[in-house]
Amino acid sequence: GIEDDFIALSRTRDELNEYAAAVNTPVGETGVTPYRAYGELLMLAGRDGEPLPRLRVDGIESYSDSDYRRKAEFILELQTLLGRMGVPRDHIFRGIRLSALTPLVQADLRHAIADATQLLDALLEEAGNLAAALEVEAPADVEQVRAMLPDTQGVDLDAQQPENRQQAMRVLLDCLERYENLHTRYDAIVRPNAWDTDVSDIHRRLSESTSIMGGASATTFGQERQFRSRWAARNLGSPSSSARPRGLTAPLCRGVPPQDVEEQLALVEAIMAEQSVLREIAQLAPTARVVLGDLWRGLDTDRDDIESVLKWPLAIVGEADTEQSDTFPAYLNALYSQVSTALDSYLKAVTELEKVFELDAGRQFGNADSLAALPFDKQRQVLAEWRDGASKVREMARFNLATARAAEENLEAVIDLAWEWKGAPGRLAECFEAARYNAILSRAFEERSSLAGFDTDVHLRRIEQFRTMDELSLLHNRTRVAHAHWSRLPDPESAGHLGVLRREFAKRRGHLPVRQLMEQAGDAVQSIKPVFMMSPLSVATYLKPGSVKFDLVVFDEASQVKPVDALGALFRGNQAVVVGDEKQLPPTDFFEGVSQDEDDDPVGAASVSATVDMESILSLFYAQGAPSRMLRWHYRSRHESLIAVSNNSFYNNRLVVFPSPDARTQGVGLQYHWLDTHYARGGVNREEARYVAQAVMEHAREHPELSLGVATFSAAQRDAIQREVERLRRENAEHEAFFNAHQDAPFFVKNLENVQGDERDVIFISVAYGRDAEGVVRQNFGPLNRDGGERRLNVLISRARLRCEVFTNLRSGDIRLDQGGRGGLAAFRDFLAYAETGEVVSWQQGNSEQTSPFQKEIAEKLRAAGHDCHETMDASGFFVDIAIAHPDHPGRYVLGIECDGESYHGSQAARDRDRLKEQVLRSLGWCLHRIWSTDWFADPEYELERAIRAIEDALAE
């Protein structure tokens, strides 16, 4: 059934691969995989701030990369604009529609705002005077001004001065009010033509009937109702009556007339009263036309429109003294004229202002349809904001221009979000990015059934099934290999090579040397044991050429194998795999010497094999252009600090270092111990050796479960520590169990020349070299000063799995580098600096004469503000134009200021000046601030304030 198992394994693998392909295959033309879309959305969701609002942009998932980049760049520009202007909905010029703001238009805006402000002040002053004269509160808005002084065009206030005309206007108002009340009460009862009917005879009959009924005490109640009904049908008319009273051409009522005589009498009296009011109005009409002018329209006149016009002067005149009655209305007319003129002027100014602004009043003021519709205090506030913030018009004009461009790009939804979302100034681009990834995910789910139908439990079952069957397949393959090997074993009874082996097995002494044995029975030996593990020298010693042939030769630690030693093994194989690290130790030349006679032929020297100058077989394979692959997974170090320096200094951060689960736990990672000891020459520091030996015994007592190794920079220090450890072991026999444990990784003390290939849970490093008794640090650090010293250091500092402890009396600043040197000493200094502080920084101040005038001006103003500035700071070829020294910590810089001065324009590539330079500086721990020359020239005070704030923020952090 193994074939069925492999079929099931293949199916499971295909199912898992199908899902992997679904999440890793780009969607459409976007070039974005669902997996990446997931990751980007998770990162966006994980950032600080409120959750991103949902943004939907039609077709965003189908954008090509170029389309998306163009639109994303536009949105980033819009976000930058919003970062300066704020949320457009809250902008003081949110209602303007301008998109092209020329200097002439901007000047017109300023003048229009100033004119409107001045005319508003004049209107409020005139209206206040009039309100004081009327002894009323000052008006709060334009409508109250109009209510106080309504539109009285054509009204002759002087015509109201005679007492009889004043009385006539009072009577007219009363008549209009009575006329309106009568029609309001009875229009629903009587027909329209009834108001013109002569009802005097009906009124007389009703009056008489009332008198008769009032005197007929014997008349029963039922008889009275029958009489009233017959009378009403005869005189008022009803649908069932054909009789008509004399003098009436139609019934008076719209429906059934009132049955009660008193109600009938009241109706008739109302008709007669309306006719009387009309006669009075007709009599007053000539006077009304003189006084009211165009406002008088007879019965069509709106009483509410003229009541305020009439009652206002009438009330004032009525309360005035008799001596003033002929002059006060003229004064009122003058006040009205002034207020009316001021109101008209202001309204025209507002109209002109809104025209220049191209103002959308609804967007600017909400429910109000104009600035003039707001209360006066709000109008004052708006005009003041516009006047003080006139320069911000340009921001809204740019936003309007962006709105038009967004319409061209079909990004109206982005503009709608940017208009009111408070997070848009900082996260609009993120929101657009999230919208794209959400849309891509939606499309991916629509197109990929393995995503749409994904179920966690099912998938976990497949994974577990795959794991189980894959392990079984490995076991099966091992079994197959063993079976294949067993099937090819020679017959034990056969002769030939196997016979030679049987004879050697039977001997008790005088066995053939290994080399002769392999020559005579090599095929049989190789058939029985096909894998040989030998050093290159052993291969040359024991395997005569031609005795055996290998399908594959593998070199491990190839950086320590010389080409001349490896060639013999290479010649015995069909293929070779060379495994090594060119950043680690080369073959040792400690026991070698190189000599050449003076009479050696130079021509013969030139013909020496090309392998002579190759330090290892690894270098030889590199030189021959053999295919190579970097083994990037770093599995040894269980804490990232243990490999951080090597990864950064030797492998260009290409190693994949898995983060430690104990990142915050004590007892792991790189630890630094500064010792108050003295170096005694000869590569030994005896006090440090005692410290290290005591640390070894403490480790044996506290952590016996962890393997331990001690590495030294010199053989002398190795021997000193070994002697101290042996002495302490004799004095503390109870810890001897530790030294006998860890059989696969026993305790050792080695110098750095011999430590390659070893690894332990904990490594102690004893530097020994350092400050002597006179306090002098001689720049001699043994093997690190030699060529390839950095490779020796790389071996030394990468031996620990869990913890590495450094014992030394050195600080990183004690190490002085040769000019331009980046060898073992530089790597050692970086390592110490990282162990001390977690970072490496080296500085030297550049020549201030290289600075530009623009740069100098900034530095001078910052010095005047009390900051210590150093100009043109050099860090390994990169420059900081202005470095701000920390006020409390000499030698430290709190902020670097970048300018587009000479160093900026002198750069050859945009990548160098605009990206790589800042990237490198920030990776070194710099906090940077940028000042552009155009901004400085336009507003140096503002840019200076920004720089000072940046310094203060950096100090606070």
Side-chain angles (χ1 to χ4, degrees), residues 66-67 72 121 228 271 321 324 337 405 439 462 470 573 735 746:
S66 59
D67 287 341
D121 293 339
R228 290 178 177 175
I271 294 175
D321 295 337
Q324 297 177 334
S337 178
R405 181 178 171 188
R462 290 172 180 168
D470 196 45
H735 302 318

Side-chain angles (χ1 to χ4, degrees), residues 566-837:
L567 290 178
L570 286 174
F571 291 153
R572 290 167 173 81
N574 297 324
Q575 299 182 80
V577 173
V578 175
V579 184
D581 186 353
E582 62 177 346
K583 300 297 184 181
Q584 294 196 2
L585 288 178
T588 179
D589 57 358
F590 185 79
F591 297 104
E592 288 190 2
V594 179
S595 63
Q596 182 175 345
D597 295 337
E598 294 181 356
D599 297 334
D600 285 348
D601 183 7
V603 177
S607 63
V608 174
S609 171
T611 64
V612 171
D613 294 329
M614 298 295 174
E615 65 179 10
S616 69
I617 188 62
L618 181 64
S619 301
L620 178 61
F621 269 64
Y622 270 123
Q624 295 300 318
S628 64
R629 174 176 296 179
M630 179 179 181
L631 304 179
R632 299 182 60 197
W633 284 21
H634 179 77
Y635 55 87
R636 176 185 300 147
S637 301
R638 305 299 298 272
H639 191 275
E640 48 267 29
S641 66
L642 298 175
I643 196 63
V645 173
S646 292
N647 194 18
N648 179 69
S649 299
F650 305 116
Y651 303 109
N652 298 320
N653 290 315
R654 294 178 62 195
L655 289 179
V656 177
V657 180
F658 295 93
S660 169
D662 303 320
R664 297 183 180 273
T665 303
Q666 292 183 351
V668 297
L670 181 62
Q671 299 181 7
Y672 172 82
H673 300 283
W674 184 85
L675 305 177
D676 188 12
T677 62
H678 302 95
Y679 172 57
R681 302 288 183 90
V684 66
N685 187 325
R686 303 189 186 283
E687 297 170 89
E688 183 177 302
R690 285 194 290 271
Y691 272 110
V692 174
Q694 291 171 1
V696 169
M697 300 307 296
E698 182 178 355
H699 177 89
R701 181 176 61 254
E702 300 293 336
H703 303 286
E705 74 281 2
L706 300 178
S707 60
L708 174 66
V710 178
T712 68
F713 275 37
S714 66
Q717 186 71 0
R718 175 200 62 195
D719 296 340
I721 294 175
Q722 188 70 56
R723 287 192 296 271
E724 288 294 326
V725 169
E726 291 175 355
R727 181 181 64 81
L728 293 175
R729 287 175 64 179
R730 290 192 297 270
E731 296 175 358
N732 300 272
E734 66 273 14
H735 302 318
E736 196 62 23
F738 165 77
F739 297 97
N740 296 322
H742 307 289
Q743 295 182 2
D744 295 333
F747 170 75
F748 68 78
V749 181
K750 296 182 179 181
N751 66 330
L752 83 173
E753 296 282 355
N754 302 319
V755 78
Q756 181 165 330
D758 290 311
E759 59 181 70
R760 297 294 186 269
D761 294 328
V762 180
I763 291 291
F764 290 167
I765 297 178
S766 177
V767 176
Y769 301 98
R771 195 176 304 276
D772 59 18
E774 288 76 26
V776 177
V777 178
R778 305 182 185 278
Q779 301 300 308
N780 179 16
F781 300 96
L784 294 186
N785 291 88
R786 300 169 57 189
D787 291 339
E790 69 277 6
R791 301 202 295 193
R792 291 175 171 82
L793 181 70
N794 183 33
V795 171
L796 179 65
I797 65 179
S798 59
R799 299 297 97 198
R801 287 193 292 261
L802 191 64
R803 185 171 74 251
C804 178
E805 301 187 34
V806 182
F807 297 83
T808 180
N809 69 358
L810 286 172
R811 304 284 189 185
S812 59
D814 294 332
I815 301 175
R816 298 190 304 272
L817 303 181
D818 296 334
Q819 187 173 4
R822 291 297 301 173
L825 293 186
F828 183 47
R829 184 195 62 179
D830 293 345
F831 174 71
L832 283 183
Y834 183 79
E836 291 177 64
T837 64

